[in-house]
Structure formats: C-alpha cells, structure tokens
mmCIF file of all heavy atoms in Angstrom:
data_model
loop_
_atom_site.group_PDB
_atom_site.id
_atom_site.type_symbol
_atom_site.label_atom_id
_atom_site.label_comp_id
_atom_site.label_asym_id
_atom_site.label_seq_id
_atom_site.Cartn_x
_atom_site.Cartn_y
_atom_site.Cartn_z
ATOM 1 N N MET A 1 185.480 -115.639 56.419
ATOM 2 C CA MET A 1 185.332 -116.114 55.035
ATOM 3 C C MET A 1 183.905 -116.572 54.774
ATOM 4 O O MET A 1 183.500 -116.622 53.562
ATOM 5 C CB MET A 1 186.321 -117.226 54.804
ATOM 6 C CG MET A 1 187.804 -116.806 54.796
ATOM 7 S SD MET A 1 188.092 -115.477 53.662
ATOM 8 C CE MET A 1 188.147 -116.358 52.092
ATOM 9 N N ASP A 2 183.186 -116.971 55.708
ATOM 10 C CA ASP A 2 181.792 -117.393 55.476
ATOM 11 C C ASP A 2 180.948 -116.250 54.915
ATOM 12 O O ASP A 2 180.126 -116.459 54.056
ATOM 13 C CB ASP A 2 181.126 -117.900 56.734
ATOM 14 C CG ASP A 2 181.694 -119.260 57.187
ATOM 15 O OD1 ASP A 2 182.195 -120.012 56.357
ATOM 16 O OD2 ASP A 2 181.499 -119.600 58.428
ATOM 17 N N PHE A 3 181.268 -115.020 55.408
ATOM 18 C CA PHE A 3 180.482 -113.894 54.852
ATOM 19 C C PHE A 3 180.690 -113.708 53.350
ATOM 20 O O PHE A 3 179.710 -113.473 52.584
ATOM 21 C CB PHE A 3 180.963 -112.629 55.551
ATOM 22 C CG PHE A 3 180.234 -111.375 54.994
ATOM 23 C CD1 PHE A 3 178.926 -111.125 55.296
ATOM 24 C CD2 PHE A 3 180.979 -110.478 54.345
ATOM 25 C CE1 PHE A 3 178.336 -109.997 54.703
ATOM 26 C CE2 PHE A 3 180.346 -109.370 53.756
ATOM 27 C CZ PHE A 3 179.086 -109.162 53.995
ATOM 28 N N LEU A 4 181.935 -113.910 52.905
ATOM 29 C CA LEU A 4 182.219 -113.684 51.511
ATOM 30 C C LEU A 4 181.578 -114.810 50.766
ATOM 31 O O LEU A 4 181.048 -114.553 49.587
ATOM 32 C CB LEU A 4 183.789 -113.733 51.196
ATOM 33 C CG LEU A 4 184.478 -112.466 51.855
ATOM 34 C CD1 LEU A 4 186.014 -112.620 51.504
ATOM 35 C CD2 LEU A 4 183.966 -111.201 51.235
ATOM 36 N N ALA A 5 181.573 -116.009 51.212
ATOM 37 C CA ALA A 5 181.075 -117.091 50.503
ATOM 38 C C ALA A 5 179.499 -116.941 50.445
ATOM 39 O O ALA A 5 178.795 -117.192 49.406
ATOM 40 C CB ALA A 5 181.267 -118.441 51.166
ATOM 41 N N ASP A 6 178.869 -116.454 51.521
ATOM 42 C CA ASP A 6 177.399 -116.150 51.533
ATOM 43 C C ASP A 6 177.073 -115.094 50.477
ATOM 44 O O ASP A 6 176.013 -115.109 49.887
ATOM 45 C CB ASP A 6 176.952 -115.913 52.938
ATOM 46 C CG ASP A 6 176.959 -116.981 53.830
ATOM 47 O OD1 ASP A 6 176.880 -118.158 53.315
ATOM 48 O OD2 ASP A 6 176.861 -116.765 55.043
ATOM 49 N N LEU A 7 177.943 -113.961 50.528
ATOM 50 C CA LEU A 7 177.695 -112.863 49.606
ATOM 51 C C LEU A 7 177.771 -113.425 48.182
ATOM 52 O O LEU A 7 176.863 -112.951 47.360
ATOM 53 C CB LEU A 7 178.653 -111.796 49.871
ATOM 54 C CG LEU A 7 178.574 -110.486 49.070
ATOM 55 C CD1 LEU A 7 177.261 -109.821 49.244
ATOM 56 C CD2 LEU A 7 179.669 -109.591 49.320
ATOM 57 N N TRP A 8 178.741 -114.180 47.861
ATOM 58 C CA TRP A 8 178.949 -114.753 46.563
ATOM 59 C C TRP A 8 177.678 -115.555 46.068
ATOM 60 O O TRP A 8 177.156 -115.378 45.028
ATOM 61 C CB TRP A 8 180.218 -115.428 46.355
ATOM 62 C CG TRP A 8 180.317 -116.079 45.067
ATOM 63 C CD1 TRP A 8 180.246 -117.368 44.596
ATOM 64 C CD2 TRP A 8 180.640 -115.412 43.807
ATOM 65 N NE1 TRP A 8 180.440 -117.459 43.356
ATOM 66 C CE2 TRP A 8 180.646 -116.301 42.749
ATOM 67 C CE3 TRP A 8 180.838 -114.061 43.562
ATOM 68 C CZ2 TRP A 8 180.890 -115.991 41.418
ATOM 69 C CZ3 TRP A 8 181.072 -113.664 42.115
ATOM 70 C CH2 TRP A 8 181.168 -114.657 41.151
ATOM 71 N N ASN A 9 177.234 -116.441 46.971
ATOM 72 C CA ASN A 9 176.134 -117.301 46.684
ATOM 73 C C ASN A 9 174.810 -116.405 46.454
ATOM 74 O O ASN A 9 173.979 -116.797 45.647
ATOM 75 C CB ASN A 9 175.874 -118.259 47.841
ATOM 76 C CG ASN A 9 176.979 -119.396 47.794
ATOM 77 O OD1 ASN A 9 177.471 -119.651 46.714
ATOM 78 N ND2 ASN A 9 177.270 -119.949 48.932
ATOM 79 N N PHE A 10 174.654 -115.313 47.351
ATOM 80 C CA PHE A 10 173.510 -114.452 47.204
ATOM 81 C C PHE A 10 173.516 -113.805 45.835
ATOM 82 O O PHE A 10 172.503 -113.841 45.125
ATOM 83 C CB PHE A 10 173.536 -113.379 48.306
ATOM 84 C CG PHE A 10 172.544 -112.301 48.107
ATOM 85 C CD1 PHE A 10 171.169 -112.625 48.439
ATOM 86 C CD2 PHE A 10 172.851 -111.112 47.536
ATOM 87 C CE1 PHE A 10 170.234 -111.597 48.248
ATOM 88 C CE2 PHE A 10 171.928 -110.075 47.411
ATOM 89 C CZ PHE A 10 170.626 -110.389 47.749
ATOM 90 N N LEU A 11 174.662 -113.255 45.384
ATOM 91 C CA LEU A 11 174.803 -112.619 44.099
ATOM 92 C C LEU A 11 174.467 -113.577 42.943
ATOM 93 O O LEU A 11 173.810 -113.259 41.961
ATOM 94 C CB LEU A 11 176.204 -111.973 43.965
ATOM 95 C CG LEU A 11 176.485 -110.845 44.804
ATOM 96 C CD1 LEU A 11 177.905 -110.367 44.609
ATOM 97 C CD2 LEU A 11 175.488 -109.679 44.567
ATOM 98 N N LYS A 12 174.955 -114.780 43.131
ATOM 99 C CA LYS A 12 174.876 -115.777 42.077
ATOM 100 C C LYS A 12 173.479 -116.291 42.024
ATOM 101 O O LYS A 12 172.844 -116.390 40.834
ATOM 102 C CB LYS A 12 175.780 -116.921 42.370
ATOM 103 C CG LYS A 12 175.888 -117.870 41.194
ATOM 104 C CD LYS A 12 177.067 -118.853 41.357
ATOM 105 C CE LYS A 12 176.809 -119.742 42.562
ATOM 106 N NZ LYS A 12 177.736 -120.841 42.680
ATOM 107 N N GLU A 13 172.727 -116.630 43.020
ATOM 108 C CA GLU A 13 171.445 -117.186 43.037
ATOM 109 C C GLU A 13 170.449 -116.230 42.693
ATOM 110 O O GLU A 13 169.394 -116.465 42.046
ATOM 111 C CB GLU A 13 171.153 -117.883 44.487
ATOM 112 C CG GLU A 13 171.828 -119.126 44.691
ATOM 113 C CD GLU A 13 171.674 -119.646 46.010
ATOM 114 O OE1 GLU A 13 170.614 -119.277 46.650
ATOM 115 O OE2 GLU A 13 172.364 -120.531 46.509
ATOM 116 N N ARG A 14 170.472 -114.938 43.208
ATOM 117 C CA ARG A 14 169.500 -113.964 43.009
ATOM 118 C C ARG A 14 169.737 -113.111 41.729
ATOM 119 O O ARG A 14 168.914 -112.243 41.457
ATOM 120 C CB ARG A 14 169.405 -113.043 44.204
ATOM 121 C CG ARG A 14 169.160 -113.666 45.482
ATOM 122 C CD ARG A 14 167.699 -113.667 45.879
ATOM 123 N NE ARG A 14 167.334 -113.949 47.226
ATOM 124 C CZ ARG A 14 167.499 -115.093 47.845
ATOM 125 N NH1 ARG A 14 167.968 -116.088 47.184
ATOM 126 N NH2 ARG A 14 167.078 -115.322 49.100
ATOM 127 N N LYS A 15 170.797 -113.346 41.079
ATOM 128 C CA LYS A 15 171.228 -112.594 39.851
ATOM 129 C C LYS A 15 171.294 -110.987 40.178
ATOM 130 O O LYS A 15 170.732 -110.239 39.426
ATOM 131 C CB LYS A 15 170.160 -112.830 38.735
ATOM 132 C CG LYS A 15 169.999 -114.330 38.382
ATOM 133 C CD LYS A 15 171.049 -114.800 37.558
ATOM 134 C CE LYS A 15 170.729 -116.201 36.907
ATOM 135 N NZ LYS A 15 171.059 -117.334 37.744
ATOM 136 N N LYS A 16 171.941 -110.798 41.213
ATOM 137 C CA LYS A 16 172.139 -109.328 41.575
ATOM 138 C C LYS A 16 173.490 -108.833 41.244
ATOM 139 O O LYS A 16 174.251 -108.324 42.048
ATOM 140 C CB LYS A 16 171.913 -109.173 43.085
ATOM 141 C CG LYS A 16 170.611 -109.646 43.661
ATOM 142 C CD LYS A 16 169.525 -108.559 43.213
ATOM 143 C CE LYS A 16 168.196 -109.023 43.912
ATOM 144 N NZ LYS A 16 167.133 -108.189 43.683
ATOM 145 N N TRP A 17 173.905 -109.006 40.047
ATOM 146 C CA TRP A 17 175.219 -108.608 39.554
ATOM 147 C C TRP A 17 175.510 -107.096 39.592
ATOM 148 O O TRP A 17 176.604 -106.733 39.571
ATOM 149 C CB TRP A 17 175.486 -109.176 38.190
ATOM 150 C CG TRP A 17 175.403 -110.741 38.134
ATOM 151 C CD1 TRP A 17 174.520 -111.550 37.473
ATOM 152 C CD2 TRP A 17 176.252 -111.569 38.728
ATOM 153 N NE1 TRP A 17 174.776 -112.774 37.642
ATOM 154 C CE2 TRP A 17 175.893 -112.882 38.513
ATOM 155 C CE3 TRP A 17 177.387 -111.465 39.677
ATOM 156 C CZ2 TRP A 17 176.484 -114.041 38.990
ATOM 157 C CZ3 TRP A 17 177.992 -112.537 40.170
ATOM 158 C CH2 TRP A 17 177.524 -113.846 39.845
ATOM 159 N N TRP A 18 174.329 -106.305 39.558
ATOM 160 C CA TRP A 18 174.577 -104.960 39.676
ATOM 161 C C TRP A 18 175.144 -104.407 41.000
ATOM 162 O O TRP A 18 175.637 -103.258 41.116
ATOM 163 C CB TRP A 18 173.272 -104.209 39.265
ATOM 164 C CG TRP A 18 172.194 -104.606 40.290
ATOM 165 C CD1 TRP A 18 171.233 -105.600 40.049
ATOM 166 C CD2 TRP A 18 171.843 -104.010 41.565
ATOM 167 N NE1 TRP A 18 170.284 -105.650 41.017
ATOM 168 C CE2 TRP A 18 170.630 -104.759 42.019
ATOM 169 C CE3 TRP A 18 172.313 -102.888 42.224
ATOM 170 C CZ2 TRP A 18 170.093 -104.377 43.174
ATOM 171 C CZ3 TRP A 18 171.738 -102.579 43.410
ATOM 172 C CH2 TRP A 18 170.628 -103.329 43.923
ATOM 173 N N LEU A 19 175.060 -105.296 41.991
ATOM 174 C CA LEU A 19 175.596 -104.954 43.314
ATOM 175 C C LEU A 19 177.155 -104.975 43.337
ATOM 176 O O LEU A 19 177.780 -104.355 44.179
ATOM 177 C CB LEU A 19 175.000 -105.906 44.394
ATOM 178 C CG LEU A 19 173.562 -105.588 44.815
ATOM 179 C CD1 LEU A 19 173.155 -106.665 45.779
ATOM 180 C CD2 LEU A 19 173.558 -104.264 45.560
ATOM 181 N N MET A 20 177.746 -105.828 42.401
ATOM 182 C CA MET A 20 179.190 -106.025 42.437
ATOM 183 C C MET A 20 180.018 -104.685 42.290
ATOM 184 O O MET A 20 180.950 -104.518 43.059
ATOM 185 C CB MET A 20 179.578 -106.963 41.318
ATOM 186 C CG MET A 20 180.958 -107.442 41.464
ATOM 187 S SD MET A 20 181.331 -108.347 43.016
ATOM 188 C CE MET A 20 180.551 -109.845 42.742
ATOM 189 N N PRO A 21 179.673 -103.776 41.386
ATOM 190 C CA PRO A 21 180.479 -102.494 41.270
ATOM 191 C C PRO A 21 180.378 -101.695 42.613
ATOM 192 O O PRO A 21 181.354 -101.047 43.072
ATOM 193 C CB PRO A 21 179.878 -101.841 40.183
ATOM 194 C CG PRO A 21 179.151 -102.730 39.375
ATOM 195 C CD PRO A 21 178.760 -103.833 40.263
ATOM 196 N N ILE A 22 179.188 -101.707 43.295
ATOM 197 C CA ILE A 22 178.949 -101.044 44.546
ATOM 198 C C ILE A 22 179.801 -101.643 45.565
ATOM 199 O O ILE A 22 180.466 -100.795 46.420
ATOM 200 C CB ILE A 22 177.551 -101.019 44.882
ATOM 201 C CG1 ILE A 22 176.590 -100.288 43.879
ATOM 202 C CG2 ILE A 22 177.295 -100.350 46.280
ATOM 203 C CD1 ILE A 22 175.196 -100.470 44.026
ATOM 204 N N ILE A 23 179.998 -102.898 45.698
ATOM 205 C CA ILE A 23 180.695 -103.607 46.694
ATOM 206 C C ILE A 23 182.287 -103.214 46.441
ATOM 207 O O ILE A 23 182.964 -102.991 47.421
ATOM 208 C CB ILE A 23 180.463 -105.090 46.745
ATOM 209 C CG1 ILE A 23 178.991 -105.262 47.155
ATOM 210 C CG2 ILE A 23 181.403 -105.830 47.651
ATOM 211 C CD1 ILE A 23 178.448 -106.718 46.977
ATOM 212 N N VAL A 24 182.651 -103.246 45.257
ATOM 213 C CA VAL A 24 184.061 -103.052 44.948
ATOM 214 C C VAL A 24 184.453 -101.641 45.309
ATOM 215 O O VAL A 24 185.538 -101.368 45.876
ATOM 216 C CB VAL A 24 184.332 -103.354 43.386
ATOM 217 C CG1 VAL A 24 185.758 -102.906 42.953
ATOM 218 C CG2 VAL A 24 184.187 -104.850 43.142
ATOM 219 N N VAL A 25 183.605 -100.707 44.974
ATOM 220 C CA VAL A 25 183.913 -99.270 45.250
ATOM 221 C C VAL A 25 184.023 -99.093 46.794
ATOM 222 O O VAL A 25 184.869 -98.429 47.306
ATOM 223 C CB VAL A 25 182.844 -98.305 44.684
ATOM 224 C CG1 VAL A 25 182.993 -96.899 45.163
ATOM 225 C CG2 VAL A 25 183.049 -98.365 43.077
ATOM 226 N N LEU A 26 183.046 -99.702 47.534
ATOM 227 C CA LEU A 26 183.047 -99.585 48.941
ATOM 228 C C LEU A 26 184.333 -100.189 49.483
ATOM 229 O O LEU A 26 184.959 -99.648 50.528
ATOM 230 C CB LEU A 26 181.905 -100.167 49.641
ATOM 231 C CG LEU A 26 180.556 -99.440 49.376
ATOM 232 C CD1 LEU A 26 179.359 -100.179 49.962
ATOM 233 C CD2 LEU A 26 180.660 -98.086 49.992
ATOM 234 N N LEU A 27 184.765 -101.324 49.007
ATOM 235 C CA LEU A 27 185.956 -101.971 49.522
ATOM 236 C C LEU A 27 187.213 -101.092 49.206
ATOM 237 O O LEU A 27 188.126 -100.944 49.953
ATOM 238 C CB LEU A 27 186.231 -103.287 48.900
ATOM 239 C CG LEU A 27 185.256 -104.442 49.405
ATOM 240 C CD1 LEU A 27 185.476 -105.644 48.519
ATOM 241 C CD2 LEU A 27 185.583 -104.706 50.803
ATOM 242 N N MET A 28 187.269 -100.501 47.961
ATOM 243 C CA MET A 28 188.471 -99.607 47.710
ATOM 244 C C MET A 28 188.479 -98.423 48.572
ATOM 245 O O MET A 28 189.506 -98.010 48.984
ATOM 246 C CB MET A 28 188.315 -99.166 46.191
ATOM 247 C CG MET A 28 188.602 -100.312 45.232
ATOM 248 S SD MET A 28 188.302 -99.962 43.465
ATOM 249 C CE MET A 28 189.078 -98.352 43.299
ATOM 250 N N ILE A 29 187.310 -97.804 48.843
ATOM 251 C CA ILE A 29 187.244 -96.637 49.804
ATOM 252 C C ILE A 29 187.728 -97.081 51.193
ATOM 253 O O ILE A 29 188.408 -96.360 51.898
ATOM 254 C CB ILE A 29 185.868 -96.010 49.818
ATOM 255 C CG1 ILE A 29 185.552 -95.324 48.487
ATOM 256 C CG2 ILE A 29 185.720 -94.974 50.989
ATOM 257 C CD1 ILE A 29 184.165 -94.809 48.371
ATOM 258 N N GLY A 30 187.252 -98.202 51.621
ATOM 259 C CA GLY A 30 187.804 -98.768 52.966
ATOM 260 C C GLY A 30 189.258 -98.966 53.004
ATOM 261 O O GLY A 30 189.849 -98.657 54.029
ATOM 262 N N VAL A 31 189.792 -99.476 51.975
ATOM 263 C CA VAL A 31 191.236 -99.726 51.865
ATOM 264 C C VAL A 31 191.950 -98.376 51.927
ATOM 265 O O VAL A 31 193.039 -98.214 52.614
ATOM 266 C CB VAL A 31 191.665 -100.549 50.671
ATOM 267 C CG1 VAL A 31 193.147 -100.548 50.414
ATOM 268 C CG2 VAL A 31 191.177 -102.015 50.887
ATOM 269 N N LEU A 32 191.547 -97.384 51.213
ATOM 270 C CA LEU A 32 192.188 -96.088 51.215
ATOM 271 C C LEU A 32 192.109 -95.357 52.639
ATOM 272 O O LEU A 32 193.035 -94.883 53.034
ATOM 273 C CB LEU A 32 191.487 -95.161 50.211
ATOM 274 C CG LEU A 32 191.871 -95.170 48.801
ATOM 275 C CD1 LEU A 32 191.038 -94.395 47.948
ATOM 276 C CD2 LEU A 32 193.444 -94.766 48.732
ATOM 277 N N ILE A 33 191.040 -95.615 53.293
ATOM 278 C CA ILE A 33 190.878 -95.033 54.724
ATOM 279 C C ILE A 33 191.840 -95.766 55.672
ATOM 280 O O ILE A 33 192.514 -95.096 56.387
ATOM 281 C CB ILE A 33 189.362 -95.106 55.175
ATOM 282 C CG1 ILE A 33 188.528 -94.210 54.385
ATOM 283 C CG2 ILE A 33 189.314 -94.991 56.685
ATOM 284 C CD1 ILE A 33 187.064 -94.423 54.704
ATOM 285 N N VAL A 34 191.991 -97.056 55.479
ATOM 286 C CA VAL A 34 192.877 -97.767 56.376
ATOM 287 C C VAL A 34 194.292 -97.467 56.052
ATOM 288 O O VAL A 34 195.117 -97.167 57.033
ATOM 289 C CB VAL A 34 192.639 -99.263 56.267
ATOM 290 C CG1 VAL A 34 193.830 -100.134 56.865
ATOM 291 C CG2 VAL A 34 191.345 -99.658 56.778
ATOM 292 N N ILE A 35 194.660 -97.332 54.762
ATOM 293 C CA ILE A 35 195.989 -96.974 54.409
ATOM 294 C C ILE A 35 196.336 -95.535 54.747
ATOM 295 O O ILE A 35 197.381 -95.220 55.274
ATOM 296 C CB ILE A 35 196.230 -97.269 52.951
ATOM 297 C CG1 ILE A 35 196.319 -98.789 52.640
ATOM 298 C CG2 ILE A 35 197.609 -96.643 52.511
ATOM 299 C CD1 ILE A 35 196.336 -99.160 51.219
ATOM 300 N N GLY A 36 195.423 -94.695 54.476
ATOM 301 C CA GLY A 36 195.585 -93.233 54.776
ATOM 302 C C GLY A 36 195.609 -92.833 56.163
ATOM 303 O O GLY A 36 196.261 -91.799 56.514
ATOM 304 N N GLY A 37 195.141 -93.667 57.077
ATOM 305 C CA GLY A 37 195.034 -93.266 58.453
ATOM 306 C C GLY A 37 196.332 -93.665 59.232
ATOM 307 O O GLY A 37 196.638 -93.080 60.357
ATOM 308 N N SER A 38 197.154 -94.511 58.703
ATOM 309 C CA SER A 38 198.276 -95.072 59.490
ATOM 310 C C SER A 38 199.545 -95.227 58.728
ATOM 311 O O SER A 38 200.269 -96.161 59.162
ATOM 312 C CB SER A 38 197.807 -96.378 60.144
ATOM 313 O OG SER A 38 197.568 -97.343 59.084
ATOM 314 N N SER A 39 199.783 -94.516 57.695
ATOM 315 C CA SER A 39 201.050 -94.642 57.049
ATOM 316 C C SER A 39 201.688 -93.369 56.580
ATOM 317 O O SER A 39 201.012 -92.263 56.633
ATOM 318 C CB SER A 39 200.834 -95.519 55.742
ATOM 319 O OG SER A 39 200.017 -94.814 54.809
ATOM 320 N N ALA A 40 202.871 -93.411 55.974
ATOM 321 C CA ALA A 40 203.454 -92.245 55.502
ATOM 322 C C ALA A 40 202.914 -91.704 54.216
ATOM 323 O O ALA A 40 203.254 -90.651 53.666
ATOM 324 C CB ALA A 40 204.978 -92.486 55.282
ATOM 325 N N VAL A 41 202.103 -92.613 53.619
ATOM 326 C CA VAL A 41 201.425 -92.220 52.307
ATOM 327 C C VAL A 41 200.113 -91.313 52.535
ATOM 328 O O VAL A 41 199.621 -90.799 51.620
ATOM 329 C CB VAL A 41 200.996 -93.416 51.511
ATOM 330 C CG1 VAL A 41 200.445 -93.214 50.231
ATOM 331 C CG2 VAL A 41 202.207 -94.468 51.463
ATOM 332 N N ALA A 42 199.817 -91.084 53.801
ATOM 333 C CA ALA A 42 198.571 -90.386 54.137
ATOM 334 C C ALA A 42 198.537 -88.983 53.491
ATOM 335 O O ALA A 42 197.433 -88.627 52.963
ATOM 336 C CB ALA A 42 198.423 -90.257 55.605
ATOM 337 N N PRO A 43 199.510 -88.102 53.483
ATOM 338 C CA PRO A 43 199.383 -86.849 52.907
ATOM 339 C C PRO A 43 199.059 -86.871 51.480
ATOM 340 O O PRO A 43 198.361 -85.999 50.915
ATOM 341 C CB PRO A 43 200.777 -86.175 53.163
ATOM 342 C CG PRO A 43 201.329 -86.906 54.298
ATOM 343 C CD PRO A 43 200.788 -88.289 54.191
ATOM 344 N N PHE A 44 199.590 -87.944 50.686
ATOM 345 C CA PHE A 44 199.367 -88.044 49.283
ATOM 346 C C PHE A 44 197.979 -88.460 48.992
ATOM 347 O O PHE A 44 197.322 -88.110 48.036
ATOM 348 C CB PHE A 44 200.337 -88.902 48.690
ATOM 349 C CG PHE A 44 201.803 -88.478 48.845
ATOM 350 C CD1 PHE A 44 202.574 -89.157 49.668
ATOM 351 C CD2 PHE A 44 202.239 -87.351 48.235
ATOM 352 C CE1 PHE A 44 203.897 -88.751 49.862
ATOM 353 C CE2 PHE A 44 203.518 -86.916 48.380
ATOM 354 C CZ PHE A 44 204.399 -87.664 49.254
ATOM 355 N N ILE A 45 197.395 -89.351 49.838
ATOM 356 C CA ILE A 45 196.015 -89.807 49.681
ATOM 357 C C ILE A 45 195.000 -88.721 49.990
ATOM 358 O O ILE A 45 194.052 -88.515 49.344
ATOM 359 C CB ILE A 45 195.779 -91.012 50.605
ATOM 360 C CG1 ILE A 45 196.533 -92.218 50.019
ATOM 361 C CG2 ILE A 45 194.312 -91.411 50.598
ATOM 362 C CD1 ILE A 45 196.488 -93.465 50.911
ATOM 363 N N TYR A 46 195.381 -87.912 51.076
ATOM 364 C CA TYR A 46 194.424 -86.716 51.397
ATOM 365 C C TYR A 46 194.317 -85.765 50.277
ATOM 366 O O TYR A 46 193.271 -85.063 50.188
ATOM 367 C CB TYR A 46 194.812 -86.050 52.715
ATOM 368 C CG TYR A 46 194.631 -86.991 53.937
ATOM 369 C CD1 TYR A 46 195.613 -87.121 54.920
ATOM 370 C CD2 TYR A 46 193.440 -87.758 54.056
ATOM 371 C CE1 TYR A 46 195.486 -87.973 55.992
ATOM 372 C CE2 TYR A 46 193.309 -88.577 55.185
ATOM 373 C CZ TYR A 46 194.248 -88.599 56.115
ATOM 374 O OH TYR A 46 194.029 -89.453 57.111
ATOM 375 N N THR A 47 195.329 -85.650 49.487
ATOM 376 C CA THR A 47 195.238 -84.674 48.378
ATOM 377 C C THR A 47 194.277 -85.083 47.226
ATOM 378 O O THR A 47 193.846 -84.280 46.375
ATOM 379 C CB THR A 47 196.753 -84.448 47.782
ATOM 380 O OG1 THR A 47 197.202 -85.650 47.312
ATOM 381 C CG2 THR A 47 197.538 -83.759 48.757
ATOM 382 N N LEU A 48 193.983 -86.434 47.195
ATOM 383 C CA LEU A 48 193.078 -86.941 46.231
ATOM 384 C C LEU A 48 191.681 -86.440 46.433
ATOM 385 O O LEU A 48 190.797 -86.235 45.594
ATOM 386 C CB LEU A 48 193.074 -88.434 46.125
ATOM 387 C CG LEU A 48 194.257 -89.127 45.721
ATOM 388 C CD1 LEU A 48 194.176 -90.619 45.917
ATOM 389 C CD2 LEU A 48 194.610 -88.807 44.285
ATOM 390 N N PHE A 49 191.381 -86.091 47.743
ATOM 391 C CA PHE A 49 190.091 -85.649 48.126
ATOM 392 C C PHE A 49 189.993 -84.250 48.419
ATOM 393 O O PHE A 49 189.120 -83.604 48.653
ATOM 394 C CB PHE A 49 189.480 -86.469 49.329
ATOM 395 C CG PHE A 49 189.507 -87.960 49.101
ATOM 396 C CD1 PHE A 49 190.450 -88.891 49.647
ATOM 397 C CD2 PHE A 49 188.510 -88.518 48.322
ATOM 398 C CE1 PHE A 49 190.327 -90.172 49.446
ATOM 399 C CE2 PHE A 49 188.374 -89.886 48.049
ATOM 400 C CZ PHE A 49 189.372 -90.723 48.537
#
C-alpha cells in the first residue's frame, strides 16, 4: 500500500494528472491477463484480442 500512497502523492505534488489514464489502462490489461489465464472465462477474453 505504500507504493500506491507514494504514487498518489507523486501525481498530486508534481501535477502529473496525464499519467492517470495510462496507469488505469495498464491495470485493466493486467487484470484481464490474470483473469484470462486461470479461469473458465479465458476463451471469451481471448476473442476480444
């Protein structure tokens, strides 16, 4: 959790709000990879790509 707090403080202090969409997209791709690799939903996720 320290990493998230440090990241939030960095974005707030340095006014780097343009990084937020990039971080959100990377997190969503990571979640899709984790879900797609180990569940019954995997064939449906693979058809998206």
Side-chain angles (χ1 to χ4, degrees):
M1 292 303 286
D2 287 338
F3 175 73
L4 294 177
D6 287 340
L7 180 63
W8 177 253
N9 287 332
F10 172 78
L11 292 174
K12 191 169 66 170
E13 289 176 15
R14 302 264 196 291
K15 306 282 193 269
K16 302 284 186 184
W17 297 115
W18 56 271
L19 285 174
M20 192 59 74
I22 297 170
I23 294 169
V24 169
V25 168
L26 288 175
L27 285 174
M28 289 172 47
I29 290 172
V31 167
L32 273 176
I33 289 172
V34 168
I35 290 174
S38 63
S39 71
V41 186
F44 301 109
I45 292 175
Y46 290 136
T47 59
L48 293 175
F49 300 106

